[in-house]
Amino acid sequence: MTLPEETTPAPAVDGATAQAMFAVLQQRAAALGITLRNPPPEPTTCCGRGCNGCVWEGFLSAAEYWRQEALLQLQD
């Protein structure tokens, strides 16, 4: 999935949108010769019960931090 250069990927809401967002920003960075740090790995320990403080909440927070950091690097 590629987006036009002027489109900023939205924050991730699940694993699939996070992976798509990572891919878009990594492609843009590669085209500009910029190396981004590796995105956070998806959790593998979710029990699926919707726990308060689910590992997916932490992942999505880390994914948003990574997105913001990547966007700052791509601004330069």
Side-chain angles (χ1 to χ4, degrees):
M1 175 177 137
T2 58
L3 298 174
E5 287 296 319
E6 64 276 356
T7 303
T8 301
V13 295
D14 57 23
T17 58
Q19 294 304 322
M21 179 262 299
F22 295 151
V24 167
L25 292 174
Q26 287 173 320
Q27 288 172 348
R28 287 188 193 168
L32 295 171
I34 297 171
T35 302
L36 301 175
R37 70 180 175 87
N38 291 332
E42 283 192 12
T44 58
T45 58
C46 181
C47 66
R49 292 184 287 195
C51 303
N52 186 19
C54 177
V55 294
W56 282 98
E57 291 175 18
F59 168 74
L60 293 175
S61 292
E64 177 58 14
Y65 184 88
W66 186 93
R67 183 180 82 94
Q68 292 295 325
E69 184 180 65
L71 291 172
L72 286 173
Q73 288 181 292
L74 293 172
Q75 274 182 301
D76 296 339

